[in-house]
Amino acid sequence: MDKLASFYHAHIAELNRRVAEISHREGLAGLVIHSGQPHRQFLDDMNYPFKVNPHFKAWLPVLDNPNCWVIVNGSDKPKLVFYRPVDFWHKVSDVPEAFWTEHFDIQLLTKADKVAEFLPKDLTGWAYIGEHLDVADVLEFSSRNPDAVMNYLHYHRADKTQYELECLRRSNQIAVRGHKAAKGAFFNGASEFEIQQQYLAEISQGENEMPYGNIIALNQHAAILHYMTLAHVKPQQRLSFLIDAGASYHGYAADITRTYSFEKNRFSELISALNQQQLSIIDAMKPGVKYTDLHIMTHERIAQLLIDFKLAHSDVATLIDSGVTSAFFPHGLGHMLGLQVHDMGGYSHDERGTHIPAPEKHPFLRCTRTLAVNQVLTIEPGIYIIDSLLNDLSNNAKQLVNWQTVDLMRPFGGIRIEDNVIVHADRNENMTRESGLD
Ligand code: GLY
Ligand code: MN
Ligand code: MN
């Protein structure tokens, strides 16, 4: 039996345990989880790509079928209402037959609006979990995405089951294959668009299967944090390549970034230096450590790199306090990873959802939790030349920047290095490196 199938038993037992606990606590009969509905494009007869409700795919790897429902109360066998319309326009999903199907009582739904016949007769006490509150209204759910349930589920989502960890390892292994192909394409002179095509072909996943839009950035485009354009034109000069690209496995995301220099030069040395720092930040991860402290530590490391590479002068504390490190490294150190690339629960202090805000000076930090065993996080420090941020520095701070070096580095855009890491009791598991990506 595939390892995944044996892990899945414990996974679904844990999800049932969570539902039983929160339902008991909130006086609920159980949860009715909607996979979602297609979204129609304005003035058109076509839908946007379907994105399944993450609470639905937590239970089973059905990612492409709207109008499905999972009905759970934590003690009875979970029920799956599986949509199989009569439809000669579209592919109708096959009746599922997989390692997970024995764990569900599966019933087939042919008309989306007939789902009431499959739901509990009396919906009092059942909570609707999903995006379509209009549907919940029509079905007369009185409880819809209750805060107490959502906070509880999001908090516990950080504690990955063995099944989830294995899915995340596999999504990393897939993405790493794509990254190696993309690196080869870059050094062979491909355009951004061509690199994307080679990445997708290598991993055999379509753009809509990606957990997020891949960032494939040549030269100065690497300074645009969410650069999603794919230029067809090859740049005249090939300097640098930043690729932030993922993959999915059973709905679990990989989120990996690498940066390459076309030639050996000062920029490639900065990549190596940041890579060393990234690995040493990962070494500092362990249960009990606050992720915010790792983020602050990263600013210290980046300040030192700015000094070492003559991008700025002064001392570490001054470069942080004056905002210089934030201009070069404006985003957070990383985030929780799982069913969503930015997994829910990153700010939750407890299962009631007590919010720990990001520090005032670091508003883009997406995780403020204390690390614990079986959490999965990205670690993604970066250094970029972003003119708008450098220009916004105070006059005093501007004097700490070495503008000549900035001018030299600008055409290279920037650097980000991002790995996906599991926190264990006695070690970290860097899934990205262990999948063979340097
Ligand atoms: N690719 C999105 C992120 O790194 O957070
Ligand atoms: Mn990323
Ligand atoms: Mn990320």
Side-chain angles (χ1 to χ4, degrees):
M1 182 167 53
D2 182 7
K3 203 162 29 167
L4 212 56
S6 56
F7 286 158
Y8 184 75
H9 288 253
H11 173 70
I12 199 157
E14 172 61 13
L15 294 191
N16 272 313
R17 192 195 65 72
R18 291 178 192 171
V19 169
E21 183 172 73
I22 191 61
S23 298
H24 176 73
R25 196 181 297 171
E26 294 303 308
L28 290 169
L31 310 182
V32 177
I33 308 171
H34 190 190
S35 71
Q37 281 193 339
H39 283 278
R40 185 56 54 96
Q41 294 176 28
F42 184 51
L43 298 180
D44 210 327
D45 61 355
M46 276 177 282
N47 298 320
Y48 290 104
F50 177 68
K51 297 289 174 191
V52 68
N53 173 3
H55 286 279
F56 181 89
K57 67 173 172 170
W59 286 83
L60 72 190
V62 169
L63 312 175
D64 57 357
N65 201 4
N67 304 310
C68 294
W69 302 76
V70 162
I71 301 156
V72 283
N73 65 7
S75 51
D76 297 331
K77 186 172 188 178
K79 181 163 153 182
L80 169 64
V81 179
F82 190 79
Y83 185 52
R84 287 200 85 230
V86 176
D87 182 346
F88 58 89
W89 294 104
H90 304 104
K91 164 84 172 99
V92 175
S93 295
D94 295 325
V95 176
E97 180 61 58
F99 65 88
W100 54 268
T101 45
E102 66 179 275
H103 297 274
F104 288 86
D105 165 17
I106 300 180
Q107 302 189 354
L108 303 179
L109 173 69
T110 52
K111 294 199 166 65
D113 60 1
K114 294 287 186 231
V115 67
E117 295 168 15
F118 296 80
L119 301 183
K121 291 286 160 278
D122 179 4
L123 281 173
T124 314
W126 288 85
Y128 171 88
I129 307 292
E131 179 187 354
H132 298 275
L133 300 183
D134 49 336
V135 175
D137 273 346
V138 170
L139 292 169
E140 298 183 355
F141 279 94
S142 53
S143 175
R144 302 171 309 179
N145 300 325
D147 283 345
V149 172
M150 302 309 262
N151 288 335
Y152 174 95
L153 293 177
H154 292 159
Y155 176 77
H156 287 289
R157 193 192 282 181
D159 182 10
K160 266 56 178 185
T161 65
Q162 293 303 313
Y163 165 80
E164 293 181 298
L165 296 179
E166 186 59 22
C167 288
L168 287 158
R169 286 185 193 105
R170 293 184 189 190
S171 63
N172 260 259
Q173 287 156 10
I174 296 167
V176 162
R177 291 204 328 261
H179 272 263
K180 289 180 175 173
K183 178 182 177 185
F186 165 65
F187 282 105
N188 283 330
S191 69
E192 292 170 354
F193 182 80
E194 288 165 342
I195 296 172
Q196 164 83 332
Q197 297 311 308
Q198 292 186 37
Y199 183 94
L200 296 175
E202 178 63 34
I203 69 169
S204 199
Q205 293 193 2
E207 226 158 341
N208 292 329
E209 292 171 90
M210 292 291 100
Y212 57 92
N214 286 348
I215 296 168
I216 308 271
L218 295 178
N219 301 347
Q220 213 172 334
H221 292 157
I224 302 169
L225 296 179
H226 286 171
Y227 177 79
M228 306 280 199
T229 315
L230 293 165
H232 289 252
V233 177
K234 298 174 187 179
Q236 286 186 338
Q237 208 189 358
R238 191 161 289 260
L239 300 172
S240 62
F241 172 39
L242 185 153
I243 170 169
D244 182 344
S248 286
Y249 187 86
H250 286 350
Y252 289 84
D255 177 13
I256 299 173
T257 309
R258 287 292 180 273
T259 310
Y260 304 101
S261 179
F262 196 64
E263 291 176 347
K264 288 211 180 324
N265 50 27
R266 204 62 184 139
F267 184 72
S268 67
E269 286 167 16
L270 185 55
I271 295 175
S272 302
L274 185 63
N275 186 53
Q276 287 311 312
Q277 292 306 328
Q278 191 253 13
L279 289 172
S280 104
I281 294 158
I282 291 173
D283 281 343
M285 296 171 79
K286 56 175 182 238
V289 167
K290 290 194 176 70
Y291 194 80
T292 308
D293 290 342
L294 294 177
H295 176 82
I296 303 292
M297 183 176 106
T298 305
H299 273 265
E300 291 164 4
R301 305 297 181 86
I302 284 179
Q304 190 59 51
L305 287 180
L306 296 177
I307 295 166
D308 293 347
F309 281 80
K310 302 197 169 33
L311 280 157
H313 53 270
S314 183
D315 57 85
V316 164
T318 307
L319 290 180
I320 295 173
D321 293 345
S322 60
V324 170
T325 55
S326 294
F328 284 99
F329 171 48
H331 57 75
L333 175 60
H335 48 86
M336 298 204 149
L337 180 73
L339 290 163
Q340 296 170 273
V341 64
H342 300 148
D343 224 9
M344 296 298 292
Y347 302 106
S348 302
H349 184 56
D350 55 36
E351 57 188 25
R352 287 179 303 285
T354 307
H355 185 87
I356 324 169
E360 210 172 311
K361 286 190 144 186
H362 304 275
F364 301 119
L365 182 59
R366 291 179 191 273
C367 179
T368 52
R369 274 176 84 151
T370 300
L371 299 185
V373 170
N374 292 335
Q375 288 181 357
V376 177
L377 296 119
T378 70
I379 295 288
E380 48 182 304
I383 297 179
Y384 315 84
I385 308 295
I386 302 176
D387 286 321
S388 60
L389 296 179
L390 293 171
N391 291 338
D392 277 353
L393 286 169
S394 69
N395 284 336
N396 281 347
K398 278 190 180 125
Q399 290 178 10
L400 306 176
V401 173
N402 295 336
W403 295 95
Q404 276 186 336
T405 323
V406 166
D407 290 343
L408 285 175
M409 292 286 188
R410 184 179 292 106
F412 295 85
I415 305 170
R416 181 164 63 258
I417 299 169
E418 176 175 27
D419 288 343
N420 302 168
V421 182
I422 304 174
V423 179
H424 293 293
D426 52 351
R427 70 190 173 100
N428 299 311
E429 180 181 343
N430 186 331
M431 294 182 283
T432 310
R433 307 266 173 170
E434 290 185 22
S435 299
L437 194 64
D438 295 335

